[in-house]
Amino acid sequence: MPLKIVRNDITKMAVDAIVNAANESLLGGGGVDGAIHRAAGAGLLAECRTLGGCKTGEAKLTGGYGLPARYVIHTVGPVYVDGRHGERALLESCYRKSLAIALEKGLESVAFPLISSGAYGYPKEQALRVATRVIGDFLLENDMTVYIVIFDKSVLSPKAKPYSDIKKYIDGNLVGVSPLRRLSLPALSKRCFEDAMGAAAPTELTEDGMEGLGDRLKCIDESFSQMLLRKIDEKGMTDAGCYKKANIDRKLFSKIRSDIHYRPSKPTAIAFAIALELSLDETEELLRKAGFALSHSNKFDIIIEYFITKGCYNIYEINEALFAFDQSLLGA
Ligand code: ADP
């Protein structure tokens, strides 16, 4: 069910279906369309001839022929004029209709190129945002693995305009420039006490204050999995709502749920912190349960910190930035 962003040539993707950014004739063209027809061979063109074309914003299915993918879903993106000619709605429709075909066919994995972002002129970063939003919404309701395949090196580059703020933040925080804001030990002990007792910690711990602490301290020892499930309940979320928002596969979530000692990878643990919309302190607390911490010695952690402190918990937006800076992605 997760959304994965990858850099690749879409004709090499071994998925159930790849999506072709075609033109209305469906008879082949340049760019990704040309590459797909070349790799698939003449059988694809022959089948396309039987389809009678395709309207902008619509999608049609064919076999994959010589491609590693079993099927090709052909969709026709809008030509970008100035953004005021219904381009966005048409582009959204391309993704929706293609996903609807994949769903109807019972496909488990689909790979999209950045539709309209080449010869049709849709600004690439905006085209990507449309893609992640529509696919992200779809994945909240449906189980499928969806790839966005980026071909052009200039897309999602750290030099791209949307990332200038993040770049500044990284430059200003990478080790040696500004030490990471850390929880001091007394603050940590105070929070542990409050977690255990469910009450404000006294300034000084007296013997009376310690009463009942033994039992309740047990919750400090809760595992990552236990803390995760507790937080899901506290936030009033469902399990599915949480793992989908975290861009995490259902099977992985089941493993975490059934094994209280499960040790997730750091990107997985952070994906859950993002889905739960935890503060930076809470994120660090959840990470500690899995044996990790955030530091200023690497870009990955600083990018995560950037988004959490901004209150931006959109996992796809965070993943786009991580991808641009060549870092591991969250969830998938
Ligand atoms: P459109 O006419 O819809 O703009 P294009 O084929 O010109 O279609 O470009 C759509 C996107 O596909 C562009 O971002 C381009 O970089 C990308 N692209 C081109 N060739 C490939 C390929 N082999 N695999 C994946 N993406 C590709």
Side-chain angles (χ1 to χ4, degrees), residues 180-188 191 281 284-285 288:
L180 178 64
R181 186 195 50 69
R182 281 244 152 264
L183 275 180
S184 63
L185 205 58
L188 185 62
R191 235 210 1 249
D281 282 353
E284 297 226 41
E285 197 182 357
R288 269 197 300 276

Side-chain angles (χ1 to χ4, degrees), residues 8-10 21 30-32 35 113-120 124 149 151-152:
N8 203 348
D9 172 346
I10 204 163
V32 72
L114 268 189
I115 301 162
S116 281
S117 73
Y120 282 5
K124 289 179 195 286
V149 182
F151 190 63
D152 186 335

Side-chain angles (χ1 to χ4, degrees), residues 7-13 19-23 29-36 38 75-79 91 112-122 124 127 149-153 155:
R7 228 178 258 287
N8 203 348
D9 172 346
I10 204 163
T11 64
K12 307 275 194 294
M13 297 289 294
V19 176
N20 180 18
N23 57 49
V32 72
D33 195 4
I36 289 173
R38 275 193 301 279
T75 188
V76 184
V79 174
L91 187 57
F112 283 91
L114 268 189
I115 301 162
S116 281
S117 73
Y120 282 5
Y122 211 105
K124 289 179 195 286
V149 182
I150 308 284
F151 190 63
D152 186 335
K153 287 207 167 53
V155 180

Side-chain angles (χ1 to χ4, degrees), residues 18-19 34 54 75 210 214 245:
I18 61 169
V19 176
C54 180
T75 188
M210 299 293 281
K245 204 170 157 211

Side-chain angles (χ1 to χ4, degrees), residues 51-74:
L51 298 178
C54 180
K55 289 205 183 96
T56 301
E58 300 289 324
K60 290 190 176 176
L61 184 83
T62 66
Y65 299 89
L67 291 161
R70 283 160 56 210
Y71 298 100
V72 180
I73 298 169
H74 305 263

Side-chain angles (χ1 to χ4, degrees), residues 64-135:
Y65 299 89
L67 291 161
R70 283 160 56 210
Y71 298 100
V72 180
I73 298 169
H74 305 263
T75 188
V76 184
V79 174
Y80 189 87
V81 184
D82 54 6
R84 289 192 222 117
H85 288 73
E87 295 96 328
R88 200 172 89 188
L90 286 167
L91 187 57
E92 287 172 353
S93 168
C94 289
Y95 286 98
R96 273 199 210 103
K97 297 261 164 93
S98 301
L99 289 165
I101 289 179
L103 196 63
E104 200 183 295
K105 263 290 190 194
L107 307 186
E108 291 181 356
S109 55
V110 178
F112 283 91
L114 268 189
I115 301 162
S116 281
S117 73
Y120 282 5
Y122 211 105
K124 289 179 195 286
E125 309 299 340
Q126 288 177 42
L128 176 63
R129 197 45 60 82
V130 170
T132 54
R133 201 175 315 114
V134 177
I135 298 168

Side-chain angles (χ1 to χ4, degrees), residues 18-317:
I18 61 169
V19 176
N20 180 18
N23 57 49
E24 288 195 345
S25 76
L26 293 189
L27 299 179
V32 72
D33 195 4
I36 289 173
H37 275 274
R38 275 193 301 279
L44 179 62
L45 184 59
E47 187 178 352
C48 282
R49 284 192 206 285
T50 68
L51 298 178
C54 180
K55 289 205 183 96
T56 301
E58 300 289 324
K60 290 190 176 176
L61 184 83
T62 66
Y65 299 89
L67 291 161
R70 283 160 56 210
Y71 298 100
V72 180
I73 298 169
H74 305 263
T75 188
V76 184
V79 174
Y80 189 87
V81 184
D82 54 6
R84 289 192 222 117
H85 288 73
E87 295 96 328
R88 200 172 89 188
L90 286 167
L91 187 57
E92 287 172 353
S93 168
C94 289
Y95 286 98
R96 273 199 210 103
K97 297 261 164 93
S98 301
L99 289 165
I101 289 179
L103 196 63
E104 200 183 295
K105 263 290 190 194
L107 307 186
E108 291 181 356
S109 55
V110 178
F112 283 91
L114 268 189
I115 301 162
S116 281
S117 73
Y120 282 5
Y122 211 105
K124 289 179 195 286
E125 309 299 340
Q126 288 177 42
L128 176 63
R129 197 45 60 82
V130 170
T132 54
R133 201 175 315 114
V134 177
I135 298 168
D137 285 351
F138 173 85
L139 291 177
L140 288 178
E141 307 293 329
N142 301 284
D143 287 352
M144 203 181 281
T145 298
V146 181
Y147 296 86
I148 295 179
V149 182
I150 308 284
F151 190 63
D152 186 335
K153 287 207 167 53
S154 71
V155 180
L156 284 180
S157 132
K159 291 190 193 117
K161 212 163 151 249
Y163 304 119
S164 58
D165 276 358
I166 301 176
K167 190 163 183 321
K168 264 189 234 148
Y169 193 80
I170 293 172
D171 291 345
N173 285 286
L174 207 53
V175 124
V177 182
S178 138
L180 178 64
R181 186 195 50 69
R182 281 244 152 264
L183 275 180
S184 63
L185 205 58
L188 185 62
S189 318
K190 184 168 174 284
R191 235 210 1 249
C192 285
F193 179 93
E194 287 169 356
D195 276 352
M197 297 300 284
T203 9
E204 281 177 29
L205 280 182
T206 60
E207 276 197 12
D208 286 352
M210 299 293 281
E211 211 174 279
L213 183 60
D215 277 352
R216 297 194 188 182
L217 268 174
K218 281 180 193 146
C219 86
I220 292 178
D221 289 330
E222 72 183 340
S223 67
F224 172 84
S225 153
Q226 288 168 322
M227 180 180 276
L228 172 64
L229 297 176
R230 173 169 65 81
K231 296 246 182 222
I232 291 174
D233 288 346
E234 283 171 7
K235 297 269 171 180
M237 293 177 94
T238 61
D239 288 357
C242 181
Y243 70 69
K244 284 181 177 174
K245 204 170 157 211
N247 200 32
I248 297 277
D249 188 77
R250 175 165 43 84
K251 289 189 202 121
L252 174 56
F253 183 82
S254 301
K255 260 194 227 161
I256 298 173
R257 193 177 219 316
S258 57
D259 175 2
I260 64 161
H261 299 300
Y262 188 87
R263 289 285 293 269
S265 68
K266 188 169 174 180
T268 295
I270 291 177
F272 282 116
I274 297 296
L276 290 162
E277 303 196 359
L278 301 185
S279 67
L280 204 53
D281 282 353
E282 292 169 322
T283 299
E284 297 226 41
E285 197 182 357
L286 184 66
L287 279 179
R288 269 197 300 276
K289 295 289 177 187
F292 302 113
L294 290 176
S295 86
H296 274 187
S297 63
N298 66 80
K299 287 185 191 172
F300 177 87
D301 289 4
I302 296 174
I303 293 170
I304 299 301
E305 187 186 295
Y306 171 86
F307 280 98
I308 293 178
T309 50
K310 264 184 59 178
C312 170
Y313 292 98
N314 181 328
I315 202 129
Y316 303 118
E317 222 176 288

